[in-house]
Amino acid sequence: MNYLSTRGHADRKRFCEILLEGLAPDGGLYLPETYPQVDTATLAKWRTLPYAELAFEILSLYIDDIPAADLKAICAKTYTTEVFGTDEIVPLRELEDGVYLEALSNGPTLAFKDMAMQLLGNLFEYELARRGAELNILGATSGDTGSAAEYAMRGKKGVRVFMTSPDGRMSPFQQAQMFSLQDANIHNIAITGVFDDCQDIVKAVSNDLAFKRKYRIGTVNSINWARLLAQVVYYFAGYFQATASNDKPVSFTVPSGNFGNVCAGHVARMMGLPIQTLVVATNENDVLDEFFRTGVYRVRAAVDTHETSSPSMDISKASNFERFVFDLVGRDPARLRQLFVDDLGLTGSFDLSADPAFKQAAERFGFRSGRSTHADRLAMIRDTEKRFATLIDPHTADGLKAAREQLTPGVPMVVLETALPIKFAATVVEALGEEPARPKKFEGIEALPKRVVQLPADAEAVKAYIAQHCD
Ligand SMILES: *Cc1c(COP(=O)(O)O)cnc(C)c1O
């Protein structure tokens, strides 16, 4: 399998070459040259496989530069009952007739990002050992991504993590999750500033090419193809649990921010998994909902990005969206560049409303969308607790709200549960007046010793810290 850039660069690369890279050299995103097709005989064979074996089967269609036995061992080591809490790994539970929640949040940090990041940690360790190389991951987080990356990379050989976060702005639970890690290869850096300052620092350091090369700086953000690929697996696993045979359509609703999660659903659908509809759920930051309703993609400025009670979906620009638009415009890199480089670069938006391709988003690719507000989330959390005795987090609540607006009789609707309520306790308390349950392993973590340094919002200070801790 070869990978190409959405922006038309002539290079073709193999999986392990793009594993440790971010963007393609022309600023595009990597995609497989074709989507492997899965027929009904294959689906029948896969239906009964344990999760780790299903992951191996799907990954092997996209990875041909890791020996099969090694890839199998990596999957087996990643998707275990100990790490994810159940034998099913992503158990499905029915809320009411035809509406399901797929649990993706029982990994180490209680959010779905563990599903991909845990695999990435093992793939990185494997590939770095094979090359005799090292990698220093530099990131910025407001919560979920940073903790998922740290729990995936802790103790891994050849990898260090330098994770910046805005000092004092994460929830006490999220701070405790990250800062209580005592592993020598994990560095928490609390920046005096806001999340945008952290992102600016990461950009400034990455733009210093000499520093980047000397200290082998890498990232683990959501444009990484391996992360997206890992997420494809749970669409198949959810499908098998929601159906008794492989001729039945299923729909999925996905709480969305950077469009990584739902893009994995798109890939699963392109492979031939019988997905009827993919519902993109947003909060008040509705760039994606606006696109699917109107054909206009209009990125927001930082000042126009709302701080909401589903903060992991507070994005102004969906970094994986380019992958879907590439398929939408018939994989034409010139058209793609016109939209993402010329139009977006000049005006901050592009408009496909008059382009016949736009209709295809719904008709051919099955996309729908929805949007919710803080009041909707509270109502959805209360309603789900009252009628089904089930606690959901605010992001999953955004999903459930959008899902209810897109139900088709006879077609199961699977809502992806993207975090556990304990991670966003304040909103759950606001809705219900009670604290959500806390898994045993996180009892009392706020009282544990913290390993974190404070630095000013200054890229030079962060560079100096990295240089000092690289040997
Ligand atoms: C990251 C995240 C999302 C958004 O996922 P994308 O892949 O960026 O669309 C939604 N919910 C939670 C809880 C998250 O952590």
Side-chain angles (χ1 to χ4, degrees):
M1 172 64 74
N2 286 319
Y3 292 85
L4 48 70
S5 163
T6 50
R7 298 195 181 172
H9 197 281
D11 279 0
R12 292 293 177 272
K13 295 195 170 166
R14 313 272 299 276
F15 178 82
C16 288
E17 294 177 272
I18 64 170
L19 172 64
L20 302 169
E21 267 183 49
L23 293 173
D26 58 356
L29 279 73
Y30 288 112
L31 273 176
E33 272 187 320
T34 56
Y35 295 113
Q37 294 301 299
V38 174
D39 57 19
T40 44
T42 309
L43 284 178
K45 221 171 62 196
W46 286 0
R47 173 168 282 276
T48 53
L49 292 181
Y51 193 90
E53 287 176 39
L54 178 64
F56 166 70
E57 293 294 334
I58 294 171
L59 264 52
S60 1
L61 300 176
Y62 292 90
I63 304 175
D64 53 14
D65 49 354
I66 296 178
D70 293 354
L71 186 60
K72 199 165 198 162
I74 290 170
C75 291
K77 167 167 142 184
T78 303
Y79 297 111
T80 65
T81 307
E82 293 79 74
V83 175
F84 288 96
T86 60
D87 292 344
E88 295 89 350
I89 308 295
V90 290
L92 201 68
R93 75 178 176 272
E94 189 167 29
L95 275 188
E96 61 190 302
D97 201 19
V99 181
Y100 300 81
L101 282 182
E102 183 171 357
L104 305 180
S105 309
N106 296 304
T109 72
L110 312 182
F112 86 97
K113 292 192 172 64
D114 291 329
M115 295 300 307
M117 210 68 95
Q118 287 288 315
L119 180 77
L120 202 66
N122 287 325
L123 283 171
F124 274 19
E125 187 173 55
Y126 175 86
E127 183 59 18
L128 288 168
R130 197 155 72 158
R131 296 183 188 187
E134 285 190 356
L135 187 71
N136 292 303
I137 294 167
L138 174 63
T141 190
S142 53
D144 290 346
T145 305
S147 57
E150 291 189 354
Y151 280 73
M153 304 296 166
R154 61 187 296 201
K156 294 276 188 294
K157 286 189 259 335
V159 189
R160 288 184 202 86
V161 177
F162 296 90
M163 190 57 65
T164 62
S165 60
D167 193 13
R169 289 182 187 248
M170 290 190 295
S171 76
F173 184 84
Q174 286 177 318
Q175 289 186 39
Q177 255 188 339
M178 289 176 54
F179 300 168
S180 63
L181 290 181
Q182 299 298 323
D183 307 76
N185 71 329
I186 303 296
H187 299 272
N188 288 302
I189 305 175
I191 297 290
T192 316
V194 295
F195 176 61
D196 279 330
D197 295 315
C198 300
Q199 263 188 323
D200 289 344
I201 290 172
V202 171
K203 266 189 216 143
V205 175
S206 303
N207 286 339
D208 181 343
L209 295 182
F211 185 89
K212 190 178 170 194
R213 201 168 310 117
K214 177 162 182 208
Y215 291 101
R216 300 166 304 273
I217 303 292
T219 59
V220 286
N221 50 28
S222 77
I223 56 146
N224 184 292
W225 166 255
R227 273 183 69 178
L228 208 137
L229 178 57
Q231 294 173 342
V232 171
V233 179
Y234 54 68
Y235 285 87
F236 282 84
Y239 176 84
F240 292 137
Q241 293 179 81
T243 55
S245 64
N246 298 323
D247 49 0
K248 300 271 188 301
V250 169
S251 294
F252 287 86
T253 299
V254 188
S256 294
N258 275 317
F259 205 78
N261 200 353
V262 75
C263 195
H266 165 68
V267 172
R269 195 174 182 277
M270 296 301 280
M271 292 171 70
L273 186 67
I275 296 176
Q276 184 174 74
T277 303
L278 287 164
V279 184
V280 178
T282 73
N283 60 22
E284 291 90 335
N285 296 295
D286 57 357
V287 274
L288 291 168
D289 178 51
E290 182 174 85
F291 174 78
F292 286 106
R293 275 185 301 106
T294 67
V296 177
Y297 181 63
R298 182 173 56 87
V299 304
R300 317 293 203 245
V303 291
D304 298 321
T305 307
H306 308 279
E307 263 188 54
T308 76
S309 49
S310 45
S312 298
M313 293 158 61
D314 291 349
I315 57 99
S316 46
K317 178 175 161 277
S319 53
N320 275 289
F321 190 51
E322 184 171 328
R323 287 194 159 109
F324 168 65
V325 174
F326 184 63
D327 285 343
L328 188 64
V329 299
R331 297 201 145 207
D332 173 355
R335 179 81 173 113
L336 193 283
R337 281 198 306 272
Q338 188 184 32
L339 297 173
F340 277 85
V341 182
D342 302 345
D343 295 358
L344 263 193
L346 278 178
T347 67
S349 70
F350 62 71
D351 183 352
L352 286 180
S353 60
D355 189 314
F358 175 58
K359 271 210 171 78
Q360 305 285 310
E363 286 173 9
R364 173 156 172 246
F365 295 101
F367 274 90
R368 302 284 187 283
S369 68
R371 169 191 196 276
S372 30
T373 63
H374 181 65
D376 293 326
R377 287 188 278 285
L378 296 182
M380 205 49 67
I381 291 170
R382 277 190 210 112
D383 175 68
T384 308
E385 207 276 332
K386 202 164 130 209
R387 291 201 292 147
F388 314 115
T390 298
L391 230 51
I392 55 171
D393 100 291
H395 306 78
T396 309
D398 286 323
L400 201 52
K401 151 90 171 31
R404 287 243 158 79
E405 296 165 353
Q406 302 290 344
L407 297 177
T408 307
V411 180
M413 173 62 85
V414 176
V415 178
L416 301 186
E417 177 186 63
T418 53
L420 289 195
I422 182 66
K423 283 203 102 165
F424 301 95
T427 303
V428 177
V429 170
E430 187 183 341
L432 299 172
E434 62 178 274
E435 276 282 327
R438 175 180 290 226
K440 261 215 161 50
K441 60 183 172 186
F442 290 108
E443 267 166 28
I445 55 165
E446 287 91 340
L448 294 176
K450 293 188 168 50
R451 198 161 165 273
V452 56
V453 295
Q454 258 92 16
L455 290 181
D458 171 12
E460 293 307 317
V462 173
K463 280 190 209 167
Y465 182 87
I466 293 173
Q468 226 172 39
H469 290 86
C470 265
D471 304 292

